[in-house]
Amino acid sequence: MESYRLSDLIDIPKLQLTLDSLYEATGIPSAIIDAEDVSVQTASGWQDICVRFHRVHPETASRCRKSDAFIAEKIQEGEKYVLYRCANGLIDIAIPIIVAGKHLGTVFNGQLFLEPPDPEFFRAQARRFGFDEQEYMAALRKVPVIGEARLKKIMTFLSLFTEMLAEMGAKHMERLQAERTLRESEQKYRGVVDNIGIGVALISPRMEIISMNRQMKLWYPEVDAERRPLCYKSFNQPDRGEVCSYCPTAKTLRDGFIHEAITETPTAGGMRYYRVVATPLRDAENKVAAAIEMVEDITDRRQAEEELRKHREHLEKLVEERTAEVMRSNAELQQFAYVASHDLQEPLRMVTSYLQLLERRYRDRLDDDARDFIAFAVDGAARMQGLIEGLLSYSRIGTRGKELTPTDLEAVFARATKNLEPAIVESGAIITHDPLPALMADDQQLLQLFQNLVANAVKFRGAKPPQIHVGVKNQGDEWVFSVADNGIGFAMKDAERIFQIFQRLHTREEYPGTGIGLSLARKIVARHGGRIWAEGEPGQGATFFFTLPMKG
């Protein structure tokens, strides 16, 4: 809270006139002293005995100061009033002025007597301090003598008077604080409005400009809002005779609703575009008293939008060209698949058949080396056959897949484990799974996905029988599946490599296969809108994760 002085809250000149009138009517001298610097704010009827004698002589003045200090100390201690007889023989009354809990000033009444003074005491005092006895005694006779009955009335009046001053001061303080708060609020509002980055103008019901913020003044430096010019002449063409038909501000002033419009203004630097929003400003009776017009320069945004539109059209054209290219590529891939399944596989089958026929017909004529060579050739042809079939399957994931339909994964998983039953039984594998959901999928491809992942877990086992668990959990708008095993695992540096086609971490002698199973798994999952990844540690097993959307 701001600190105030007594003179900030009370009209001191008017108070001086009031106390002067009080003195003339009652003969009661008074003064009001500021509590902070002990300065005299008003003084009425101060007695000559004090002004010309007691406060002039060093020793009597010292007594006066002790009296002042005693009164101030008592008031600081919270006394409601102080009645004190000083060493110079006169009585003072002091009542504090407390405004909002703070001591801002003191009302003094004195000097006075409660009973007729002893003339001999004061004659002796005049002689002691060298005062002119005749003049000193004349000053003494002017000091008012107040009886106890009158004193009570005076004290009642002074208490009420002091309370009135305190209430006046409190009300004035509230008003000053409210004004200060309003000024600060206006300064903050002006600071915000001036730095908001858009133009703001206050428009009267007669379409006059009442005020403009800094941005509007920068745009229209020739417009003087103090002269209340018409906005449609100032912000548009000076010769315009009426309000623009599209003007949102005019509409707001008519119906009290928020309106907006996009305007175009030709400038030396080209066309500028502005977004104008008008909102009503209502009075205490909820009537539209004015409109706040907010103007935003959207030229750069419009230009950016235009550039973005051109860029989007360019991208759409590129996408169309790329889509056509992909379609051609897919057609070529399908043609390759056909060739691989027929034209390439047929010679391989012939090579294999003739090598086997050669071995059977000429077995007795061939030595061990020749039979080994024929076996190597047959095995190579068989592996080539497997690679071609794997590549054919890989190419058909996106081109020969079935339409996604409601699929029960429990049934799909049961078929997968049934197909793998010989390997499961041979390895002694234990396979468990969480309850599996139903979702939109290609059942044949998910069958292949489960078979590949479970088959891998069986194949890449350690010394102990495989323990494989298929888990699933609900995560947002997708299912997260996991296939965990206790097999040989892998290093995390190879976590991405194992999904690449024909990539192997082990030799064919250690673990047979084409190296295409996990590539197929990734492509199947991608076709269903999911993703797949793996985590593992050498000797500690591996876990393969994949996601599928809840809604296909």
Side-chain angles (χ1 to χ4, degrees):
M1 181 183 294
E2 187 175 352
S3 178
Y4 293 98
R5 301 282 292 275
L6 188 64
S7 57
D8 297 325
L9 307 178
I10 296 175
D11 188 337
I12 297 299
K14 187 176 290 186
L15 187 59
Q16 177 70 63
L17 293 174
T18 301
L19 293 176
D20 286 344
S21 298
L22 176 67
Y23 175 70
E24 291 174 1
T26 64
I28 300 173
S30 66
I32 294 181
I33 309 299
D34 187 280
E36 184 170 327
D37 61 3
V38 201
S39 60
V40 177
Q41 300 297 304
T42 69
S44 300
W46 276 28
Q47 299 299 303
D48 288 346
I49 196 171
C50 201
V51 177
R52 293 179 55 198
F53 297 98
H54 293 167
R55 290 201 177 259
V56 174
H57 192 278
E59 190 170 344
T60 54
S62 175
R63 292 175 177 180
C64 291
R65 287 192 295 273
K66 288 180 181 180
S67 174
D68 295 340
F70 175 82
I71 292 172
E73 181 180 352
K74 290 299 180 182
I75 287 176
Q76 291 297 328
E77 291 175 358
E79 297 287 345
K80 292 184 178 180
Y81 70 91
V82 179
L83 184 66
Y84 180 73
R85 179 172 179 172
C86 72
N88 291 326
L90 285 84
I91 291 176
D92 288 317
I93 302 172
I95 302 177
I97 302 173
I98 307 297
V99 179
K102 184 177 180 182
H103 177 211
L104 296 186
T106 305
V107 176
F108 279 93
N109 290 96
Q111 302 71 34
L112 52 84
F113 296 112
L114 296 181
E115 57 186 14
D118 179 3
E120 292 304 320
F121 171 82
F122 285 96
R123 286 193 182 95
Q125 193 160 253
R127 289 192 294 271
R128 178 181 175 183
F129 297 115
F131 297 144
D132 183 299
E133 186 173 332
Q134 186 175 355
E135 291 183 0
Y136 184 71
M137 295 306 290
L140 177 65
R141 287 191 292 272
K142 293 180 181 180
V143 178
V145 178
I146 300 172
E148 289 189 12
R150 192 181 178 200
L151 175 64
K152 289 181 180 179
K153 294 179 180 180
I154 291 173
M155 292 299 295
T156 300
F157 167 79
L158 291 176
S159 297
L160 293 173
F161 179 70
T162 305
E163 288 178 8
M164 182 186 70
L165 291 179
E167 290 174 1
M168 290 171 55
K171 289 181 179 179
H172 196 185
M173 179 184 291
E174 291 177 1
R175 186 164 61 252
L176 290 175
Q177 289 173 346
E179 291 174 355
R180 179 188 178 190
T181 301
L182 181 60
R183 284 196 304 272
E184 291 175 350
S185 177
E186 288 177 347
Q187 289 173 355
K188 289 179 182 178
Y189 165 78
R190 178 59 61 184
V192 170
V193 170
D194 277 344
N195 294 282
I196 200 172
I198 64 174
V200 180
L202 188 62
I203 309 298
S204 77
R206 298 175 61 185
M207 302 302 292
E208 299 168 329
I209 302 172
I210 300 174
S211 66
M212 301 190 304
N213 76 336
R214 182 184 302 164
Q215 184 61 62
M216 288 293 277
K217 292 176 181 177
L218 289 175
W219 285 338
Y220 303 100
E222 71 283 354
V223 176
D224 182 6
E226 297 293 331
R227 302 179 64 181
R228 304 288 287 267
L230 294 173
C231 65
Y232 54 85
K233 288 182 175 292
S234 302
F235 298 155
N236 298 92
Q237 293 81 23
D239 57 350
R240 178 179 288 275
E242 59 184 10
V243 178
C244 310
S245 59
Y246 61 82
C247 179
T249 303
K251 295 176 181 178
T252 294
L253 290 169
R254 280 197 304 268
D255 61 23
F257 293 104
I258 297 174
H259 293 277
E260 70 173 272
I262 304 298
T263 67
E264 299 178 357
T265 302
T267 67
M271 188 69 72
R272 304 297 297 182
Y273 299 90
Y274 297 94
R275 176 174 176 259
V276 183
V277 178
T279 185
L281 185 65
R282 300 181 181 275
D283 59 19
E285 298 178 356
N286 204 35
K287 295 180 180 179
V288 178
I292 300 174
E293 184 174 280
M294 293 168 283
V295 184
E296 179 185 9
D297 187 339
I298 60 171
T299 305
D300 293 341
R301 185 195 307 170
R302 287 283 293 264
Q303 291 173 348
E305 289 173 351
E306 179 63 19
E307 290 297 321
L308 185 61
R309 184 189 64 78
K310 293 179 180 178
H311 186 61
R312 185 171 58 249
E313 290 177 352
H314 177 65
L315 287 179
E316 288 174 352
K317 184 179 179 181
L318 290 178
V319 168
E320 289 176 359
E321 293 174 353
R322 181 59 178 160
T323 301
E325 183 180 342
V326 169
M327 291 179 67
R328 287 194 301 271
S329 177
N330 284 340
E332 293 171 357
L333 186 59
Q334 289 181 2
Q335 180 64 28
F336 168 77
Y338 177 82
V339 171
S341 62
H342 293 83
D343 298 353
L344 291 180
Q345 292 190 72
E346 183 59 31
L348 278 175
R349 282 194 292 268
M350 183 178 294
V351 170
T352 302
S353 297
Y354 276 101
L355 285 171
Q356 292 172 342
L357 179 62
L358 181 65
E359 182 184 22
R360 288 195 303 270
R361 182 171 296 181
Y362 297 100
R363 176 183 296 276
D364 296 337
R365 302 180 190 181
L366 299 175
D367 58 14
D368 291 340
D369 286 342
R371 284 194 289 272
D372 288 342
F373 294 157
I374 291 174
F376 291 151
V378 171
D379 179 64
R383 285 191 284 107
M384 177 64 75
Q385 179 77 22
L387 290 173
I388 291 174
E389 290 176 350
L391 189 60
L392 179 61
S393 298
Y394 184 82
S395 68
R396 285 176 172 172
I397 294 295
T399 60
R400 299 285 183 89
K402 293 165 53 180
E403 184 179 349
L404 304 188
T405 58
T407 303
D408 180 5
L409 293 192
E410 285 281 354
V412 172
F413 187 72
R415 288 165 55 199
T417 53
K418 184 66 176 177
N419 293 344
L420 296 171
E421 187 173 358
I424 293 173
V425 172
E426 185 271 332
S427 65
I430 298 174
I431 300 177
T432 58
H433 71 281
D434 293 344
L436 300 176
L439 44 73
M440 299 295 290
D442 181 333
D443 62 339
Q444 286 299 117
Q445 289 188 351
L446 289 197
L447 173 66
Q448 187 174 8
L449 173 65
F450 279 121
Q451 279 187 193
N452 285 4
L453 294 177
V454 173
N456 264 16
V458 172
K459 180 196 298 186
F460 295 101
R461 61 182 181 271
K464 297 179 181 180
Q467 290 187 351
I468 304 165
H469 179 74
V470 177
V472 62
K473 61 181 179 179
N474 181 331
Q475 195 171 81
D477 57 355
E478 64 184 8
W479 295 104
V480 180
F481 296 83
S482 60
V483 180
D485 63 55
N486 63 340
I488 63 173
F490 61 87
M492 284 302 294
K493 66 182 179 63
D494 297 317
E496 178 61 28
R497 180 185 168 199
I498 58 178
F499 290 102
Q500 297 174 9
I501 192 168
F502 300 139
Q503 291 295 313
R504 305 172 57 90
L505 302 183
H506 309 279
T507 64
R508 295 185 187 87
E509 288 73 25
E510 292 177 302
Y511 298 98
T514 61
I516 202 170
L518 290 179
S519 300
L520 287 172
R522 169 175 277 184
K523 195 163 186 180
I524 290 170
V525 171
R527 188 201 167 210
H528 284 75
R531 61 192 189 284
I532 188 170
W533 69 97
E535 297 175 0
E537 185 177 346
Q540 301 299 318
T543 301
F544 287 81
F545 300 90
F546 64 93
T547 65
L548 294 176
M550 288 188 178
K551 295 182 181 180

